[in-house]
């Protein structure tokens, strides 16, 4: 069906694409993504492989009488960082695998 030369060329291209994807995945994993809550009340830092690395609180944001606000700020910062990871992954890996969710 395919000529031997065409199949060899196609396999070579697939291997190159796989190497490129692995390289991009490694770069994403090695990148820090920093999410911010409004006014930087909470700042969350994740690695590209979604490991929470650091969580910082602005002075005065921790109020024992208002834990709900702190929880909301933490959620906002975490979600911001995770959205950055998703966007960067889509940008970097989407060129090799369009229409694939990352």
């Amino acid at each position: 069906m395919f000529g031997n030369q065409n199949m060899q060329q196609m396999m070579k291209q697939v291997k190159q694409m796989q190497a490129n994807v692995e390289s991009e995945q490694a770069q994403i994993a090695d990148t820090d993504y920093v999410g911010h809550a409004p006014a930087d009340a909470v700042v969350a830092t994740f690695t590209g492989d979604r490991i929470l690395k650091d969580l910082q609180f602005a002075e005065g944001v921790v109020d024992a009488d208002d834990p709900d606000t702190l929880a909301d700020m933490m959620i906002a910062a975490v979600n911001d960082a995770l959205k950055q990871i998703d966007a960067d992954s889509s940008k970097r890996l989407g060129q090799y695998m369009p229409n694939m969710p990352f």
Side-chain angles (χ1 to χ4, degrees):
M1 183 175 274
F2 292 107
N4 192 33
Q5 194 72 355
N6 288 341
M7 183 60 89
Q8 288 177 348
Q9 183 64 25
M10 186 169 50
M11 290 304 293
K12 185 177 180 181
Q13 289 174 343
V14 167
K15 286 182 181 181
Q16 181 60 50
M17 185 175 78
Q18 182 180 9
N20 291 344
V21 167
E22 289 172 359
S23 174
E24 292 290 351
Q25 288 173 325
Q27 289 177 28
I28 291 167
D30 289 340
T31 301
D32 285 347
Y33 297 86
V34 181
H36 301 267
D40 288 339
V42 177
V43 178
T45 303
F46 280 82
T47 63
D49 50 0
R50 299 175 184 276
I51 303 296
L52 182 61
K53 187 174 170 179
D54 190 34
L55 195 58
Q56 297 288 320
F57 302 96
E59 189 175 321
V61 76
V62 179
D63 180 354
D65 295 328
D66 187 14
D68 292 337
T69 297
L70 178 59
D72 290 344
M73 292 297 136
M74 289 175 62
I75 290 168
V78 166
N79 286 338
D80 182 43
L82 294 175
K83 284 178 188 175
Q84 290 177 38
I85 295 169
D86 289 342
D88 195 34
S89 295
S90 291
K91 178 182 169 190
R92 289 176 183 246
L93 299 175
Q95 63 185 327
Y96 302 108
M97 296 173 278
N99 301 322
M100 294 289 293
F102 296 101

